[in-house]
Amino acid sequence: MLLRKLRSASSTVMDKGRTYPFRFKDNTTTNNNLPKISLSLLVFLLLWFLLLYFCFFPSNSTTHKAHPSVPTVTPGKEAILNTDSTHRQSLTTTTVSEGTEIETETKSPLTVPLCDGSVRIYIYDLPSRFNLGLLKDCRHLNVYTDMCPHVANRGLGQPLPHMGPNWFATHQFIAEMIFHARVENHPCRTSDPDEATLFYVPFYGGLHVSSKFRESDLVERDRLTLDLVEHLSHLPTWQKHQGRDHFLALGRTAWDFMRNPNAPDFGANCLLNLPRVKNMSVLTVERHPWEGSNQHGIPYSSYFHPMSSHEMLTWQEELRRIERPHLFSFVGAPRKGLEKAAIRDEILRQCTESTRCNLLKCETGASKCHQPEEVMKVMRVSQFCMQAPGDSFTRRSTFDSVLAGCIPVFFSPHTAYSQYAWYLPAEPSEYSVYIAEEDGKRIEEVLTKIPIERVEKMRSRVIDMIPRITYVHPNATNIGFPDAVDVALAELSKHVQSKILDI
């Protein structure tokens, strides 16, 4: 456009030069006009130069005026500018071009802005026997299944290209590996322990304990755990605050690390019962509701690990448009001998009898429940997803349903409400339905009575929650929204600083 304008302007001058100076043969007239033409050309060239200068050489005074808690925006990329202090994720897409100022009043959902000095994380370089060395025998990391396909891609598992880019068959108990990979590439990481506010101990405790579930020798079952604590306790960085600024991230439930000698033994070790570990903070996919004062719930890993804000927004927009013909659905299997799982039989009965329920019953063997595309297919077309307790209170399915934009329905407060305070809205009715035991026999009736306006509002809230319960791809940088790891680091930093100040 600029060149076309310049050519047009040049043509006008030349046309004048051809028409007027050479029409008259009077040399005096011609000579009198030449200074005017020269002056016009000089002014034009000066204006042209100034125009080019300001278009292509912007002043150094141009500033990026984004909110300090909003990640740096790469020119030409899309960024998600976030939300309010109540964790409400009203995502806005803003395309930023070079030389453009950004001004936004949006607030980060993190009350502690990342990488401004409040979060500086140091990762211990542990002997490999505590983490990556365990993967050498991946076939025996779990007494029930071969974990080799699941530990691939730093814990993301096998790619699912038919579902889209950055979808993986991620194992439900693998969060510790993904957390480790993500923090290694995190912008708040520091190599100087004197700068650190948090000390991360990358112990693959969940993978280790699951390899020892059938170990009858308790000394052998606890050996690696005790070795780790002994190793840490001699380090100067540990001794400074006796481990109060240290944390673990575990991919299994707290029950797997709290062996009770007076109760049936399900293969747990003693990790979380050790006094020195109780000084630490422990991130786990399920905390002990009554004894886990140093435990903090983090999301189970689901299947989507985006590399960009564009991928996240594309998925969210698809969920907002999709039709949901089924009132409710259940993905799960019956349980035996567990009182808290009795509701499952009732859900299965009601779902089987209802024409408005979409059931994916999990059978032993090659069940469709182990196929992410089948799980998501059921949840994406359902308005409500039943989240009944199983072997423990929590379920990976809760986070699958959020990822699918399906409103979770809980039957125990410990399935989510007492677990994930850092990640879920403080008011449960914003995003979920709770059905008490006395109403458990009339699920469809309870759900049908919820006004459609409220259903739509709840679904929108659920879809807004997706970024913060998602583990982004470990190679992603400056993705533009806080993911599950970012939320944990910010909240953990606040918690640790308050512990240290209380000493």
Side-chain angles (χ1 to χ4, degrees):
M1 178 62 75
L2 175 61
L3 291 176
R4 287 200 295 270
K5 288 182 178 179
L6 294 178
R7 289 193 187 102
S8 176
S10 300
S11 299
T12 302
V13 173
M14 294 303 294
D15 286 343
K16 289 181 179 178
R18 284 196 302 270
T19 303
Y20 298 106
F22 299 104
R23 173 178 296 180
F24 305 103
K25 292 183 180 180
D26 185 348
N27 290 335
T28 302
T29 305
T30 302
N31 292 335
N32 289 339
N33 287 336
L34 283 175
K36 296 180 180 179
I37 296 171
S38 299
L39 181 61
S40 298
L41 283 172
L42 182 61
V43 172
F44 170 75
L45 290 173
L46 179 61
L47 291 173
W48 187 10
F49 175 79
L50 291 174
L51 179 64
L52 290 174
Y53 179 84
F54 286 109
C55 284
F56 296 101
F57 300 96
S59 168
N60 290 335
S61 63
T62 302
T63 57
H64 182 97
K65 298 181 180 178
H67 190 279
S69 63
V70 177
T72 303
V73 180
T74 304
K77 300 293 183 181
E78 288 185 333
I80 299 179
L81 307 177
N82 307 287
T83 66
D84 61 26
S85 59
T86 62
H87 295 175
R88 185 177 298 279
Q89 295 262 319
S90 301
L91 301 179
T92 305
T93 305
T94 302
T95 301
V96 183
S97 58
E98 293 205 37
T100 302
E101 295 185 2
I102 304 173
E103 295 189 57
T104 177
E105 294 299 322
T106 54
K107 300 177 182 178
S108 171
L110 303 181
T111 54
V112 179
L114 286 177
C115 306
D116 64 349
S118 59
V119 177
R120 299 294 289 167
I121 182 169
Y122 180 83
I123 307 177
Y124 278 114
D125 184 14
L126 296 178
S128 64
R129 66 181 181 275
F130 295 118
N131 43 53
L132 297 178
L134 294 169
L135 308 183
K136 295 178 181 179
D137 192 21
C138 56
R139 290 186 60 192
H140 300 104
L141 279 176
N142 190 302
V143 297
Y144 304 109
T145 186
D146 178 4
M147 288 297 291
C148 292
H150 303 294
V151 300
N153 296 309
R154 296 303 303 270
L156 299 183
Q158 301 304 307
L160 299 170
H162 54 287
M163 292 186 70
N166 298 311
W167 286 80
F168 295 82
T170 305
H171 194 273
Q172 64 174 330
F173 294 129
I174 206 72
E176 60 200 29
M177 277 193 71
I178 301 174
F179 198 101
H180 185 195
R182 174 93 168 91
V183 172
E184 282 190 328
N185 197 33
H186 202 277
C188 296
R189 182 181 179 181
T190 179
S191 59
D192 184 355
D194 291 332
E195 293 182 352
T197 60
L198 296 172
F199 291 84
Y200 171 42
V201 181
F203 176 43
Y204 293 173
L207 292 173
H208 174 65
V209 74
S210 65
S211 71
K212 300 292 183 180
F213 277 158
R214 293 175 181 163
E215 177 59 64
S216 58
D217 184 349
L218 299 185
V219 174
E220 178 60 30
R221 197 188 297 175
D222 295 339
R223 189 183 305 279
L224 191 64
T225 289
L226 296 173
D227 187 11
L228 172 71
V229 175
E230 188 66 20
H231 173 81
L232 290 173
S233 61
H234 291 292
L235 300 175
T237 45
W238 172 278
Q239 294 173 0
K240 184 177 180 180
H241 295 296
Q242 295 301 305
R244 290 177 178 85
D245 49 3
H246 287 52
F247 76 94
L248 294 163
L250 301 173
R252 296 194 69 94
T253 70
W255 312 92
D256 293 325
F257 309 96
M258 300 179 73
R259 183 173 65 245
N260 185 345
N262 300 317
D265 177 17
F266 292 105
N269 67 27
C270 66
L271 175 64
L272 299 188
N273 291 332
L274 299 174
R276 282 176 286 189
V277 174
K278 289 184 178 181
N279 275 358
M280 303 172 67
S281 297
V282 179
L283 311 183
T284 176
V285 294
E286 179 177 336
R287 61 183 296 274
H288 193 300
W290 307 286
E291 299 177 18
S293 60
N294 68 326
Q295 300 167 15
H296 309 276
I298 58 174
Y300 282 84
S301 49
S302 194
Y303 312 115
F304 185 39
H305 307 282
M307 284 281 289
S308 69
S309 60
H310 175 73
E311 290 179 1
M312 175 58 74
L313 284 166
T314 299
W315 176 247
Q316 288 176 293
E317 289 308 308
E318 180 179 335
L319 294 178
R320 296 184 198 280
R321 293 191 303 265
I322 198 168
E323 295 288 334
R324 297 180 183 269
H326 298 281
L327 177 65
F328 66 113
S329 66
F330 181 59
V331 178
R335 289 288 192 273
K336 295 181 179 179
L338 294 172
E339 181 180 353
K340 61 178 174 292
I343 187 62
R344 285 181 171 235
D345 289 338
E346 189 60 38
I347 293 173
L348 287 168
R349 180 188 68 79
Q350 293 184 53
C351 195
T352 302
E353 296 175 355
S354 174
T355 59
R356 306 183 67 183
C357 182
N358 194 8
L359 175 64
L360 180 58
K361 189 174 181 180
C362 302
E363 309 288 352
T364 56
S367 170
K368 287 185 177 182
C369 293
H370 301 304
Q371 301 175 27
E373 59 271 33
E374 295 296 332
V375 173
M376 296 303 291
K377 187 186 299 183
V378 170
M379 293 184 172
R380 285 176 63 190
V381 295
S382 304
Q383 297 181 39
F384 298 94
C385 289
M386 305 299 101
Q387 302 301 335
D391 295 330
S392 65
F393 287 118
T394 63
R395 300 185 77 206
R396 195 262 284 274
S397 179
T398 296
F399 298 96
D400 293 342
S401 71
V402 172
L403 179 60
C406 185
I407 301 166
V409 178
F410 299 117
F411 300 86
S412 167
H414 302 308
T415 302
Y417 304 149
S418 65
Q419 295 289 339
Y420 310 107
W422 292 350
Y423 295 90
L424 304 179
E427 178 49 60
S429 62
E430 286 186 24
Y431 71 96
S432 68
V433 175
Y434 180 76
I435 296 182
E437 183 178 355
E438 58 269 20
D439 294 322
K441 294 186 180 297
R442 52 188 193 92
I443 295 172
E444 184 170 346
E445 179 184 348
V446 171
L447 298 179
T448 304
K449 289 182 178 180
I450 302 176
I452 186 62
E453 295 80 9
R454 185 185 166 205
V455 173
E456 291 175 352
K457 189 173 182 179
M458 293 167 68
R459 183 182 306 118
S460 178
R461 189 70 177 92
V462 167
I463 295 172
D464 286 344
M465 288 163 50
I466 295 175
R468 64 186 299 107
I469 59 93
T470 297
Y471 293 90
V472 304
H473 196 289
N475 292 341
T477 56
N478 291 331
I479 194 169
F481 60 83
D483 78 331
V485 173
D486 292 326
V487 172
L489 294 180
E491 295 292 343
L492 187 58
S493 182
K494 290 191 302 178
H495 175 74
V496 165
Q497 292 307 309
S498 66
K499 283 173 57 177
I500 293 174
L501 291 174
D502 289 340
I503 296 176

